Amino acid sequence: MEQVKCECGHVNPHGTVFCESCGKPIVEDSTKKLLDMRYEGSARRSQTYNKTIIDKVWNFFSSVKVGVWLIVITLLASAIGTIYPQEMYIPPNVTPAEYYEEQYGWTGKLYYELGFNNLYGSWWYMLLIASIGVSLVICSLDRVVPLYRALKNQGVVRHETFLRRQRLFSVSKVDNYDKLIDEVKEKLTKRRYHIREENGNILAEKGRFSRWGPYVNHIGLIIFLIGAMLRFVPGMYVDEVLWIREGETKEIPGTNGKYFLKNEKFTFEVYEKDKEKEVFQEAIDRVGSGMVAKNYQSDVVLYERVGPIVPGEEPKLKKVKEYKIRVNEPLKYDHYALYQVDFKMNEPNKMSFHLVDKNTNEQFGLVTVDLRNPKPAYDLGNGYRVELLSYFPDFYFDENGNPATKSKIPNNPAFVFKMITPDKPKGEVSFVAIRQTIEPLGDNKYKMSFAGLETKNVSGLTVRRDFTLWILGVGGAIFMIGLIQGMYWNHRRIWLKRVNDEVLFAAHTNKNWYGLKNEIKQIIDGTELVMPIDQAEEEKKGAQGGDDSGATK
Amino acid sequence: MKKQRLLLRTVILILLLGAVGYTIYANFFTEKTRVTVGSEAPDFVLTDLNGKKHRLSDYRGKGVFLNFWGTWCKPCEKEMPYMNRQYEVYKNQGVEVIAVNVGEPELSVKKFAERFDLKFPVVIDQQDQVMNAYDIDPLPTTFLINKDGKIVKIITGTMTESMVQQYMESIKP
């Protein structure tokens, strides 16, 4: 392999910008006054080897430019996904293709046709996220290894060019070099610099570990992504919805038929005037009594199924525990958690009717229809009898004008009754819906008159089981550690080199130049050293036209 | 050293692509359920409108055309007559049809079955247990189960009569 030997004797990998040890530029680039200190001038391998397909793929993902573009595209896509609701949030009974156009016009149609209605689960969105992950791994690997090598191999004695081309640099005439060195060393030690000395030259360094911050951060991100990926592994992540009526016992979805839940009662409470402590009165008066929710609560009993699990068979249940599920107080068992997320008040459950003679208003008996499981016939005695011919729990007229049902949920129950009475033994047919009666076969003598409605509340629960959470937590923590490490510490270096009776002084930091300048001021205070000038600022000023630097030289 | 680097790069890239590939595959090319094509159809016991119990595993040796439906679902309604006619042809050739209603009132299901004069057993999944086990989302969904109790195909959406015929043909023992 091609390697470059510097005049100081150090052998550098091919592609190195300036010598790892002494800092003498290998590729002479005299157009710029200052050295580009990024990655310590080390050879980023990606930019050096580009032969096989593997190398080409590697190099694509190794580019920070590519990484930034991936992030920008992902950000844009994510933003677009929030313009209109995602498909999972639109009403369940509509066709998405029509819904988006109806609601939002041609832009909605376009939105749907371009597939933004299901953006976050689309294959190309996932590919983008995955590419960011790949880019993170390869970018980091490609930089952290050479950087580590360069920082490990850096020499104390640096080439004059290297020092002169640092951003902070000065030359001072010194009479007593040894005294100066001792003074400076003492001050540097006080400021917690690690000092290396070679032939009277000094390299003082601190906070090098801050350079690893971004890479630690990336490791955290990658762990986070792995956690997110594991959600797709069966059994690692369960997220189901359970709607359960009061009094109902239902299998908990996602538990493979192992657990059942009974909903004893759902409670919805509000803050009401004069029912709360004195301190709340003012707030209640301001928003109005009964306007603020106080509690959503499902009183439930958890059962475990015993014996073999055969779906459909009447389960043998063993009580596990009773619990009151409230918002943010889930029922937790066997890594499953049941959260209170939604509710429906007063769903019709039973409806009662009187069989009434329309003329005399005489009543011949009460019919109570269980809306979940109605009986086909109701015998009222004395020859009076009511048959339920048809039942529509969620009634509407379909496109042909026939009564039909939208679902099995009794939101808007409607019935076709046949009323059999001693004087009408063949029976009269009546169509009864809420606030609506139709007599399809001509005028009836009798009618079913509404007598009462019994309702039940329904709890909407979310079933969760998440074995990836701790991985996400660990990833997040490492992410933060990396961030702090890179943000709150700076990697500062100061070089002193003696050339004849002059001292070259140069300094570098990866961030916070202001802080470094202040520190140098204190270090050289009372010594013969000259305060270094900020060559980058000089250049900027120079470019702006006026050179009004009062720098000492 | 160059060879080593190429090897290392290849290994890392394969690992990364493997992880990405698995995620995409798991997300888009597999059913997110226990019930997948090729897997064994979960056993269940349900009672039909005549009070007779039907246990799926009792139909080993026969092909089972397992249809999930609801009375409000228009596409389900449309394919009922097709299933009815083809059942007449294939019931003597070892194909059984089980139509699982998704927990509606018995009255509604009975009226529906009478209206279409359904010949095959119609069972009601009162407690959603079978629906959970089969992860039924859209209606209608049909599972083709072969004589060994394995799922051969999962069909969501309406079928034409010739599709029904072909599917029944395909699970003939």
Side-chain angles (χ1 to χ4, degrees):
Chain A
M1 186 162 64
E2 217 180 326
Q3 281 178 328
V4 189
K5 194 171 180 183
C6 176
E7 62 177 43
C8 71
H10 185 79
V11 179
N12 294 289
H14 174 66
T16 310
V17 183
F18 51 79
C19 174
E20 287 175 328
S21 176
C22 76
K24 182 177 188 290
I26 289 164
V27 190
E28 201 52 63
D29 175 19
S30 50
T31 55
K32 279 189 193 139
K33 196 179 170 194
L34 295 180
L35 276 181
D36 182 3
M37 289 291 284
R38 258 199 311 166
Y39 313 115
E40 301 295 303
S42 60
R44 264 161 296 150
R45 286 159 179 176
S46 60
Q47 311 197 337
T48 327
Y49 302 97
N50 199 354
K51 298 210 174 70
T52 61
I53 247 295
I54 295 284
D55 289 330
K56 289 210 163 85
V57 173
W58 186 273
N59 293 346
F60 176 77
F61 283 112
S62 171
S63 157
V64 169
K65 219 186 249 171
V66 168
V68 169
W69 273 111
L70 285 172
I71 293 171
V72 168
I73 294 169
T74 311
L75 267 178
L76 279 177
S78 309
I80 290 170
T82 64
I83 295 177
Y84 297 135
Q86 291 287 295
E87 197 175 311
M88 63 189 123
Y89 298 117
I90 69 173
N93 289 330
V94 296
T95 320
E98 290 163 10
Y99 179 83
Y100 281 97
E101 194 176 355
E102 271 168 25
Q103 293 287 313
Y104 309 111
W106 68 270
T107 47
K109 192 178 174 210
L110 192 72
Y111 197 78
Y112 177 78
E113 274 166 6
L114 292 177
F116 288 119
N117 55 317
N118 221 336
L119 181 110
Y120 304 109
S122 66
W123 61 270
W124 60 271
Y125 188 79
M126 295 190 74
L127 262 185
L128 271 177
I129 300 281
S131 306
I132 291 177
V134 173
S135 161
L136 268 178
V137 173
I138 294 181
C139 274
S140 303
L141 275 177
D142 243 15
R143 282 165 181 75
V144 75
V145 175
L147 180 65
Y148 175 78
R149 205 189 124 94
L151 286 176
K152 201 174 143 224
N153 288 336
Q154 64 177 331
V156 175
V157 188
R158 287 282 168 147
H159 195 268
E160 205 179 315
T161 350
F162 177 84
L163 297 184
R164 283 190 184 278
R165 291 177 68 181
Q166 289 301 314
R167 186 167 158 185
L168 290 181
F169 175 73
S170 73
V171 187
S172 322
K173 268 214 168 2
V174 172
D175 297 329
N176 190 344
Y177 187 71
D178 294 334
K179 188 178 153 248
L180 173 87
I181 287 291
D182 285 343
E183 275 174 16
V184 171
K185 262 166 67 183
E186 197 198 315
K187 282 184 173 170
L188 285 171
T189 320
K190 227 185 240 167
R191 307 208 136 258
R192 296 168 194 276
Y193 277 85
H194 297 280
I195 299 168
R196 280 162 70 197
E197 201 175 352
E198 219 176 290
N199 306 329
N201 301 298
I202 282 181
L203 163 59
E205 188 178 9
K206 78 171 176 186
R208 192 199 279 188
F209 89 110
S210 119
R211 294 293 286 271
W212 315 126
Y215 307 104
V216 172
N217 174 273
H218 287 179
I219 290 169
L221 261 181
I222 288 156
I223 292 174
F224 196 93
L225 282 177
I226 289 173
M229 197 185 83
L230 282 177
R231 290 198 162 184
F232 299 116
V233 176
M236 290 295 279
Y237 183 66
V238 170
D239 183 11
E240 302 270 356
V241 179
L242 172 63
W243 281 97
I244 183 164
R245 257 159 235 102
E246 288 174 325
E248 196 175 30
T249 304
K250 260 182 145 178
E251 179 189 319
I252 303 176
T255 63
N256 298 337
K258 199 174 164 199
Y259 294 104
F260 281 71
L261 195 74
K262 183 174 185 200
N263 187 1
E264 298 280 12
K265 188 176 175 350
F266 175 78
T267 325
F268 171 49
E269 290 171 303
V270 288
Y271 287 98
E272 277 174 90
K273 200 169 161 57
D274 301 327
K275 279 193 183 167
E276 303 300 331
K277 281 186 198 146
E278 196 57 36
V279 284
F280 295 127
Q281 292 308 330
E282 198 189 322
I284 291 172
D285 280 339
R286 197 173 59 236
V287 291
S289 177
M291 296 302 286
V292 180
K294 185 181 175 187
N295 186 22
Y296 304 94
Q297 179 177 317
S298 301
D299 300 350
V300 297
V301 186
L302 179 71
Y303 294 99
E304 187 174 348
R305 186 175 198 161
V306 283
I309 296 174
V310 181
E313 199 151 50
E314 198 54 46
K316 280 196 198 98
L317 298 177
K318 196 182 84 194
K319 186 165 154 185
V320 178
K321 66 165 154 180
E322 283 176 33
Y323 195 79
K324 295 176 181 5
I325 301 176
R326 303 169 72 182
V327 175
N328 292 332
E329 291 170 25
L331 162 60
K332 286 192 174 171
Y333 189 77
D334 188 16
H335 303 291
Y336 287 102
L338 289 162
Y339 289 88
Q340 178 72 51
V341 289
D342 208 346
F343 69 101
K344 190 177 156 196
M345 298 300 279
N346 305 324
E347 188 183 277
N349 183 55
K350 278 180 183 156
M351 228 170 179
S352 318
F353 302 92
H354 287 297
L355 177 60
V356 177
D357 185 318
K358 284 208 276 192
N359 293 325
T360 62
N361 270 342
E362 195 186 340
Q363 296 180 352
F364 298 98
L366 185 73
V367 171
T368 301
V369 184
D370 180 351
L371 299 176
R372 282 276 139 196
N373 199 7
K375 282 196 296 180
Y378 304 82
D379 202 344
L380 302 175
N382 300 328
Y384 292 91
R385 183 182 151 83
V386 174
E387 284 176 10
L388 183 53
L389 297 184
S390 285
Y391 168 51
F392 308 98
D394 199 356
F395 157 72
Y396 78 112
F397 283 111
D398 67 9
E399 60 265 35
N400 303 324
N402 296 322
T405 184
K406 273 184 249 174
S407 68
K408 62 176 177 177
I409 298 153
N411 289 322
N412 181 22
F415 315 84
V416 179
F417 287 116
K418 190 178 198 182
M419 301 165 287
I420 296 160
T421 46
D423 52 336
K424 300 270 181 193
K426 279 190 179 161
E428 293 176 325
V429 175
S430 173
F431 176 86
V432 181
I434 291 174
R435 292 171 191 278
Q436 190 177 3
T437 305
I438 298 168
E439 293 169 357
L441 307 174
D443 261 357
N444 291 343
K445 185 171 182 235
Y446 295 92
K447 70 168 181 184
M448 299 298 290
S449 101
F450 177 75
L453 178 68
E454 198 179 288
T455 61
K456 278 191 174 176
N457 300 331
V458 195
S459 298
L461 306 175
T462 284
V463 185
R464 274 285 161 76
R465 171 143 91 159
D466 194 347
F467 287 127
T468 67
L469 214 54
W470 68 273
I471 304 175
L472 300 183
V474 168
I478 294 176
F479 177 99
M480 274 316 287
I481 291 169
L483 210 62
I484 292 166
Q485 190 178 339
M487 290 279 264
Y488 292 101
W489 279 269
N490 318 133
H491 179 215
R492 291 176 179 174
R493 274 172 296 173
I494 291 170
W495 295 274
L496 279 154
K497 185 184 169 83
R498 183 179 187 180
V499 182
N500 302 324
D501 58 344
E502 284 181 334
V503 175
L504 307 186
F505 183 103
H508 182 263
T509 179
N510 63 336
K511 55 167 67 85
N512 189 7
W513 291 85
Y514 180 78
L516 176 63
K517 282 185 222 167
N518 270 343
E519 197 166 53
I520 292 171
K521 240 180 240 162
Q522 290 174 31
I523 288 163
I524 63 169
D525 186 39
T527 68
E528 287 180 89
L529 286 172
V530 175
M531 181 64 197
I533 8 165
D534 189 330
Q535 304 199 71
E537 253 168 43
E538 288 294 300
E539 238 170 61
K540 222 194 273 167
K541 275 184 199 155
Q544 281 162 3
D547 185 7
D548 52 6
S549 75
T552 41
K553 176 101 201 215
Chain B
M1 203 171 149
K2 208 159 151 192
K3 272 214 174 117
Q4 210 182 331
R5 170 168 308 138
L6 185 67
L7 192 72
L8 197 68
R9 284 184 174 184
T10 314
V11 169
I12 293 173
L13 275 179
I14 285 172
L15 279 179
L16 289 172
L17 289 180
V20 173
Y22 174 78
T23 311
I24 300 274
Y25 171 80
N27 218 7
F28 294 103
F29 299 99
T30 57
E31 303 288 321
K32 268 164 247 145
T33 59
R34 299 183 297 142
V35 187
T36 52
V37 171
S39 68
E40 192 168 313
D43 197 13
F44 63 83
V45 181
L46 287 174
T47 311
D48 71 13
L49 298 174
N50 305 320
K52 190 182 166 223
K53 278 201 171 182
H54 293 265
R55 193 186 180 108
L56 183 69
S57 49
D58 291 345
Y59 289 101
R60 283 290 155 85
K62 278 180 157 189
V64 178
F65 189 94
L66 183 65
N67 177 263
F68 287 85
W69 66 282
T71 61
W72 71 84
C73 146
K74 295 284 174 194
C76 307
E77 196 176 311
K78 214 174 143 199
E79 60 192 22
M80 282 297 170
Y82 308 154
M83 281 158 57
N84 219 12
R85 272 198 289 276
Q86 295 305 320
Y87 175 65
E88 297 278 357
V89 178
Y90 282 96
K91 70 175 173 190
N92 298 325
Q93 302 179 40
V95 176
E96 192 58 53
V97 172
I98 302 176
V100 182
N101 176 274
V102 292
E104 285 183 273
E106 200 179 328
L107 181 91
S108 317
V109 178
K110 263 192 176 144
K111 297 279 174 195
F112 185 93
E114 278 165 22
R115 180 148 70 97
F116 288 94
D117 190 22
L118 300 181
K119 307 281 190 217
F120 44 77
V122 174
V123 296
I124 305 176
D125 182 22
Q126 296 283 13
Q127 291 183 311
D128 297 350
Q129 286 187 42
V130 181
M131 270 181 80
N132 282 340
Y134 278 83
D135 264 305
I136 302 302
D137 184 20
L139 288 180
T141 299
T142 302
F143 294 83
L144 302 182
I145 301 165
N146 68 12
K147 62 178 189 325
D148 306 317
K150 294 258 182 336
I151 294 170
V152 188
K153 196 172 167 64
I154 302 170
I155 306 117
T156 52
T158 338
M159 296 174 283
T160 61
E161 184 154 6
S162 70
M163 282 162 84
V164 173
Q165 188 263 328
Q166 278 168 27
Y167 290 147
M168 287 199 188
E169 183 71 35
S170 75
I171 48 172
K172 222 165 66 174

